[in-house]
Amino acid sequence: METKRFEVESSESNIDWTGKKVTGAHNGTIDIKTGELTVQDGNLSGGNFIIDTTSIKILDITDPDTNQQFAGHLFSADFFSTENFPEASFVITTTDHLESDSYLIKGDLTIKGITHGVTFGAQVAISGNKITASGKVVVDRTRYEMKFRSGNFFTNLGDTLIYNEFELDVQLTAFAAL
């Protein structure tokens, strides 16, 4: 049994996020600080990465003042509370190699100090000393105390309702640790 450790290259990895509301959607990016992936006998077997919640950027709002106001709200306690929780994390608990480059990944996502299990499909390409991995994680924000304008907690929101689920499209590149 050969086990190899790969270090996530932050400059070649990222998360694209999408949050939806009744009247449309917003999208942006979040940086990955550090991480590692583990390969055992040629298959992904584990890993983890740290997300820099202070790096959240909004890409679809071009007016600088509106963008700054929205970003400030995402950093607030209504959402990510970045002053108290500047990092989120994901730890792989199990991997199921389905076929070719397809995996079913289960792991623990921690946001605002609250941890819940998530499951998602991923594409993982292992080639020599390099791994590329991608997957879309759907997160129910209310499980992480992000209840702002959620229909589960507030009534009569009309077109100001924000859907509970947001998407994280994760792209990782990692290189064999020396």
Side-chain angles (χ1 to χ4, degrees):
M1 290 183 115
E2 181 189 6
T3 300
K4 282 179 83 172
R5 194 173 65 80
F6 293 74
E7 293 180 8
V8 172
E9 178 59 48
S10 297
S11 65
E12 296 184 36
S13 303
N14 70 295
I15 300 173
D16 294 327
W17 62 265
T18 304
K20 298 177 181 174
K21 57 185 182 172
V22 172
T23 57
H26 291 294
N27 68 286
T29 62
I30 311 172
D31 294 340
I32 296 171
K33 285 178 99 168
T34 63
E36 71 177 36
L37 298 173
T38 306
V39 172
Q40 187 170 351
D41 295 331
N43 290 312
L44 180 69
S45 61
N48 64 77
F49 56 91
I50 303 294
I51 303 159
D52 180 1
T53 61
T54 67
S55 73
I56 296 171
K57 291 186 180 44
I58 301 119
L59 299 179
D60 65 299
I61 299 176
T62 56
D63 176 69
D65 291 337
T66 305
N67 188 297
Q68 185 176 5
Q69 181 182 13
F70 184 25
H73 195 201
L74 289 178
F75 295 146
S76 78
D78 282 343
F79 290 98
F80 290 92
S81 192
T82 58
E83 187 173 312
N84 295 321
F85 302 99
E87 296 178 345
S89 65
F90 178 73
V91 177
I92 295 172
T93 54
T94 61
T95 63
D96 187 8
H97 185 210
L98 304 175
E99 61 183 4
S100 185
D101 292 346
S102 295
Y103 286 78
L104 184 66
I105 307 289
K106 293 182 181 181
D108 291 329
L109 178 64
T110 301
I111 301 172
K112 293 173 68 170
I114 302 165
T115 303
H116 290 287
V118 295
T119 302
F120 60 95
Q123 295 297 309
V124 180
I126 303 167
S127 177
N129 289 328
K130 181 179 179 181
I131 296 178
T132 56
S134 63
K136 185 173 289 195
V137 183
V138 177
V139 179
D140 179 346
R141 67 186 175 94
T142 62
R143 297 179 76 199
Y144 300 92
E145 295 298 316
M146 294 184 231
K147 298 176 183 177
F148 184 78
R149 291 192 183 156
S150 166
N152 290 8
F153 300 95
F154 301 96
T155 58
N156 302 318
L157 290 170
D159 64 4
T160 65
L161 179 125
I162 300 170
Y163 295 120
N164 293 338
E165 292 182 336
F166 66 92
E167 297 172 355
L168 300 175
D169 188 3
V170 180
Q171 307 284 329
L172 298 177
T173 299
F175 295 96
L178 300 176

